[in-house]
Each structure stands twice: as structure tokens, then as C-alpha cells.
Amino acid sequence: SQKIEQNSEALNIQEGKTATLTCNYTNYSPAYLQWYRQDPGRGPVFLLLIRENEKEKRKERLKVTFDTTLKQSLFHITASQPADSATYLCARILTGGGNKLTFGTGTQLKVEL
Amino acid sequence: NAGVTQTPKFRVLKTGQSMTLLCAQDMNHEYMYWYRQDPGMGLRLIHYSVGEGTTAKGEVPDGYNVSRLKKQNFLLGLESAAPSQTSVYFCASSYSPGGSTDTQYFGPGTRLTVL
């Protein structure tokens, strides 16, 4: 099966530190992985996409890596701020067309002052 | 440009009642999706559509039906609601021909409680 696994335990870090969230996948490497942010009571919002042939992708304070050997993606937020507190979801594309995604259960991040 | 909108935002049903959730997008996206999100389960795909007039089953389709009569709308129906269908429902859309990515754009969700 094409699964995505994320650490279900919440991550608490201090403001200014780097937050690192982990996403592991099973079986073959997907063509790309996506990361979304979800705030309480809202729908997920797309943040970054990283393709299989890309080692790293950056967007402002966000960085995503893709390690096909470890079958893992890491999501980093540098200089974290309380406003970064949210649940972060990892998703992989499924085979069979339709651009279907399967999502991990998400990791809740809390950035404390 | 409203993006993806969902109607209603909240609803309480009694077991056995029926209802329809409406999703609308104004981005001319070809693909649309319905998910449910439950604590500890993450987002699970119910049904999806790759274009007007098409629908297909996702991971958890039982108890739901869908229709895509117009490109911009995707309806999710519950014919006979059950307490197990208590959840938050999200609609999403993706894929514009010529677009560079296949990311999904989500609506704000509908919180459904079945008593």
C-alpha cells in the first residue's frame, strides 16, 4: 500500500528555534511529496512540493528535503514564530490517475514564546 | 476569486436523514475531491471527479454518492445518515490544463454531526 506516516506526537519548540517535522512513506518513491498547513477549523493550505529528483526545496523560512534512500521527507521551519503553530500534513500522490493524494495524520507544532 | 467554497458550514442530522453538501470552485479546475477528516485518521478520500460528468470512488466511498453536473460544482450526498458519518468534510480542487503543479486547494470544511 502507498502509505504516509507522520509523528502523531505534538512538537513543542521555543520561538526562534528550527522546527523539524518528519514524513515517512512506504513502498516505491512517489513522483513528488507535498506539505500542507492546517489551522484549527480550517482547510489545509498548500505550502511546498518537492519532486523525486530534487534533494531540497526552499521557500522563505521553509525547507523541505526528499531522501529516497530513507523513504523520508523532512520539513524545516527556521526562526520559528508563534504564528507558525499549526498542524502540518505531508501527502503523496497515488497511482491510478486523478492526481489523488494520500495524507499523513499530521504533526501539530506549537511554538512557544 | 473566492477559491473553493462549501455549503453549509455546520449541520446536525438525525440517523436516517439525508442531505447534500455543495462544493463550488471558481478556478476552472478539472479535478475535484471530497474528503472526510476524523481525529487520528487524517484526511481520507471519499469520491473524486476528473471532469464534468465524471465521478470515481476513493478510499471510503460507502454511504456516500456524488455528482458533477457542472465543472465548477461537486455535490456530496448522504442518503441515510449514520452516526459513523459524523466528521468534518472537506472539498478540494486541482489541475488547470497548463498549470505547473497539481496541488490541491481546499474549502473551509463542513462540520457534520449525526445523532
Side-chain angles (χ1 to χ4, degrees):
Chain A
S1 62
Q2 304 166 57
K3 288 188 177 178
I4 282 283
E5 295 172 349
Q6 294 183 258
N7 190 346
S8 59
E9 289 186 18
L11 178 63
N12 295 339
I13 65 168
Q14 275 192 318
E15 183 179 18
K17 301 291 186 183
T18 296
T20 298
L21 285 67
T22 303
C23 173
N24 295 297
Y25 61 88
T26 61
N27 294 327
Y28 64 90
S29 289
Y32 54 78
L33 290 167
Q34 300 184 16
W35 284 88
Y36 289 77
R37 169 183 173 142
Q38 186 173 23
D39 291 286
R42 293 179 176 268
V45 175
F46 170 75
L47 295 175
L48 280 170
L49 177 150
I50 184 164
R51 301 189 187 281
E52 186 181 14
N53 60 355
E54 296 175 320
K55 295 291 186 191
E56 183 180 294
K57 198 82 167 280
R58 290 176 184 263
K59 179 182 177 182
E60 298 174 349
R61 294 184 295 110
L62 308 180
K63 184 178 83 171
V64 174
T65 63
F66 195 161
D67 189 327
T68 56
T69 301
L70 295 177
K71 294 189 176 181
Q72 182 179 84
S73 175
L74 298 179
F75 178 83
H76 306 273
I77 305 176
T78 58
S80 58
Q81 305 166 0
D84 296 325
S85 298
T87 296
Y88 292 86
L89 308 173
C90 176
R92 68 175 290 172
I93 192 165
L94 295 172
T95 56
N99 291 342
K100 300 187 299 294
L101 296 175
T102 186
F103 286 82
T105 53
T107 299
Q108 186 178 8
L109 172 67
K110 185 173 181 181
V111 181
E112 300 166 334
L113 294 170
Chain B
N1 191 338
V4 179
T5 58
Q6 292 182 234
T7 309
K9 289 183 170 52
F10 303 93
R11 187 71 186 269
V12 178
L13 289 179
K14 293 182 180 179
T15 297
Q17 287 185 319
S18 63
M19 77 162 295
T20 300
L21 282 68
L22 172 63
C23 175
Q25 54 94 4
D26 61 1
M27 296 174 283
N28 199 34
H29 284 167
E30 292 291 333
Y31 299 165
M32 296 187 74
Y33 313 85
W34 276 107
Y35 294 89
R36 60 178 290 173
Q37 188 174 39
D38 303 290
M41 300 291 290
L43 285 161
R44 292 183 292 169
L45 183 65
I46 305 171
H47 285 282
Y48 67 100
S49 168
V50 297
E52 182 179 312
T54 75
T55 63
K57 294 180 180 180
E59 180 186 356
V60 289
D62 294 341
Y64 305 95
N65 56 74
V66 288
S67 64
R68 182 102 180 266
L69 298 179
K70 293 183 179 181
K71 184 177 183 179
Q72 63 268 33
N73 295 336
F74 196 27
L75 278 63
L76 178 71
L78 285 73
E79 290 186 349
S80 180
S84 60
Q85 294 178 304
T86 294
S87 187
V88 181
Y89 292 86
F90 288 102
C91 177
S93 69
S94 78
Y95 183 61
S96 291
S100 61
T101 65
D102 302 320
T103 58
Q104 294 190 8
Y105 296 80
F106 284 82
T110 295
R111 186 173 295 274
L112 175 66
T113 301
V114 183
L115 302 175

